[in-house]
Amino acid sequence: GAGVSQSPRYKVAKRGQDVALRCDPISGHVSLFWYQQALGQGPEFLTYFQNEAQLDKSGLPSDRFFAERPEGSVSTLKIQRTQQEDSAVYLCASSLGVYGQGGGMQETQYFGPGTRLLVL
Amino acid sequence: QQQVKQSPQSLIVQKGGISIINCAYENTAFDYFPWYQQFPGKGPALLIAIRPDVSEKKEGRFTISFNKSAKQFSLHIMDSQPGDSATYFCAQGHTGGGADGLTFGKGTHLIIQP
């Protein structure tokens, strides 16, 4: 079956531009996460959705970052007035169940290929 | 967020050898420790995961060893193959309560020489 897809795969923006990054999770997956991965680093958590509810946005680096998942499936990460430090790969992950309530192991997070954002 | 410290940063192993990557965590509240494999241009993919109530978990050529008292865990790749060349990330998370995602280490770039 189809995995997590993200678009665009690459985005070049001029400093100050707004960008929107899209994530299509695996169909039926309740949980959706956004991560930011700087070059040569591990992914860093940005925000978490359970269906359409944004339950945690503690990792968003500034109020220029905004995420939504209005119908509980597709999610969009929006970055306003982009800065050079926003250059990174933005990863989306989804999991089948509700995060943190697994009876045994945590639900596996399936990652998309990421969107590589370059701000000039 | 509490860090998870990963070492080495890079590793070169001969084909057929054993690759060992180590991680150390700080906060004992975490109870889920996965390893992810990432190839260039791809997203991370779950390789194997463990909870601290077991000391070892093996899946094929991949083994996690967990030392709860030392707050350390490691990934062993037996009979390493060139196709294992990738970046490996350890991570920590929760199985119950909370919704703060996974905390990843900085990664280990593994090269298996033929």
Side-chain angles (χ1 to χ4, degrees), chain B residues 78-93:
Chain B
M78 311 300 288
D79 187 26
S80 299
Q81 299 297 311
D84 297 330
S85 297
T87 301
Y88 292 80
F89 295 96
C90 61
Q92 60 188 11

Side-chain angles (χ1 to χ4, degrees), chain B:
Chain B
Q1 283 184 323
Q2 295 285 335
Q3 289 186 333
V4 55
K5 296 180 181 178
Q6 183 172 347
S7 63
Q9 187 174 359
S10 61
L11 180 63
I12 300 174
V13 174
Q14 295 296 315
K15 178 183 176 182
I18 302 173
S19 303
I20 301 174
I21 305 170
N22 301 297
C23 280
Y25 63 100
E26 299 172 343
N27 190 338
T28 56
F30 291 108
D31 61 354
Y32 172 71
F33 299 91
W35 284 91
Y36 277 80
Q37 179 188 57
Q38 186 175 30
F39 293 104
K42 305 290 186 182
L46 179 67
L47 200 58
I48 186 172
I50 198 169
R51 287 189 63 173
D53 51 356
V54 298
S55 60
E56 185 175 282
K57 183 175 181 179
K58 183 176 181 179
E59 291 184 0
R61 297 184 295 109
F62 301 94
T63 299
I64 298 180
S65 296
F66 195 91
N67 186 330
K68 189 175 181 178
S69 61
K71 293 192 285 187
Q72 295 176 345
F73 59 109
S74 60
L75 175 69
H76 295 233
I77 305 175
M78 311 300 288
D79 187 26
S80 299
Q81 299 297 311
D84 297 330
S85 297
T87 301
Y88 292 80
F89 295 96
C90 61
Q92 60 188 11
H94 297 97
T95 58
D100 53 356
L102 294 170
T103 302
F104 285 84
K106 290 181 182 266
T108 296
H109 184 51
L110 174 64
I111 296 173
I112 307 300
Q113 290 186 332

Side-chain angles (χ1 to χ4, degrees), chain A residues 9 35 37 48 56 99-100 106 112, chain B residues 32 38 41 94-97 99 102:
Chain A
R9 291 294 314 277
Y35 292 85
Q37 186 174 24
Y48 163 66
D56 190 337
Y99 181 88
Q106 186 195 64
Chain B
Y32 172 71
Q38 186 175 30
H94 297 97
T95 58
L102 294 170

Side-chain angles (χ1 to χ4, degrees), chain A residues 28-108:
Chain A
H29 277 197
V30 169
S31 295
L32 186 145
F33 302 81
W34 282 99
Y35 292 85
Q36 181 191 59
Q37 186 174 24
L39 188 64
Q41 301 294 314
E44 291 191 0
F45 170 79
L46 294 177
T47 187
Y48 163 66
F49 288 86
Q50 179 183 319
N51 294 308
E52 69 279 2
Q54 188 175 19
L55 298 187
D56 190 337
K57 53 183 181 179
S58 62
L60 296 176
S62 78
D63 58 8
R64 296 186 296 104
F65 286 71
F66 172 76
E68 60 183 5
R69 193 186 185 197
E71 298 180 356
S73 55
V74 171
S75 178
T76 303
L77 176 67
K78 298 179 180 178
I79 308 174
Q80 297 178 325
R81 304 181 303 281
T82 52
Q83 303 295 315
Q84 287 186 323
E85 61 263 27
D86 300 334
S87 296
V89 174
Y90 290 86
L91 294 164
C92 174
S94 70
S95 66
L96 180 61
V98 175
Y99 181 88
Q101 295 185 16
M105 296 295 280
Q106 186 195 64
E107 292 283 350
T108 299

